[in-house]
């Protein structure tokens, strides 16, 4: 299972972009036949992967709606903009 619903949405979006661009290659009139065949094979695999992500997302959404799953909230603890964590400059020795 995925970490979060957001992670799944991100992966689905990336998969959709890849599908769009592989289809662009398939539609090119100047593409060599062997490359077109390779792209078609890859397109099938990529669609399966995208569909698997969608199934996982829908299952997670269903579990969340039914109260069987509660998403974890990951807090961000950043120190770089907090002046309390700034290390004082050392005098040159």
């Amino acid at each position: 299972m995925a970490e979060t619903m957001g992670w799944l949405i991100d992966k689905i979006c990336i998969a959709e972009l890849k599908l769009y661009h592989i289809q662009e290659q398939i539609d090119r009139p100047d593409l060599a036949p062997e490359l077109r065949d390779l792209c078609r094979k890859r397109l099938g695999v990529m669609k399966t992967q995208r569909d698997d992500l969608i199934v996982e997302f829908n299952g997670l959404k269903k579990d969340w709606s039914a109260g069987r799953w509660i998403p974890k909230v990951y807090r961000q603890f950043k120190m770089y903009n907090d002046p309390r964590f700034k290390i004082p400059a050392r005098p040159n020795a």
Side-chain angles (χ1 to χ4, degrees):
M1 182 158 291
E3 284 184 40
T4 65
M5 293 174 85
W7 181 89
L8 282 166
I9 291 168
D10 180 58
K11 295 298 178 188
I12 291 167
C13 290
I14 291 168
E16 288 291 342
L17 283 169
K18 288 180 179 181
L19 287 168
Y20 174 83
H21 288 293
I22 198 88
Q23 187 64 54
E24 271 188 327
Q25 292 300 315
I26 292 169
D27 294 341
R28 278 179 44 201
D30 63 329
L31 193 65
E34 63 274 2
L35 286 177
R36 190 177 319 282
D37 290 341
L38 177 64
C39 287
R40 283 189 180 122
K41 288 176 187 173
R42 288 182 177 178
L43 180 70
V45 171
M46 292 163 66
K47 283 182 177 180
T48 299
Q49 291 172 342
R50 185 260 334 256
D51 293 347
D52 289 345
L53 290 168
I54 291 170
V55 167
E56 187 172 350
F57 177 82
N58 288 334
L60 201 54
K61 182 176 70 170
K62 185 178 177 182
D63 287 347
W64 189 16
S65 297
R68 291 186 298 266
W69 176 77
I70 298 172
K72 289 183 182 179
V73 176
Y74 290 90
R75 304 283 180 214
Q76 301 262 341
F77 298 105
K78 298 178 181 177
M79 296 172 26
Y80 53 85
N81 284 330
D82 190 332
R84 297 174 298 170
F85 293 108
K86 186 173 181 176
I87 297 172
R90 291 186 223 169
N92 293 336

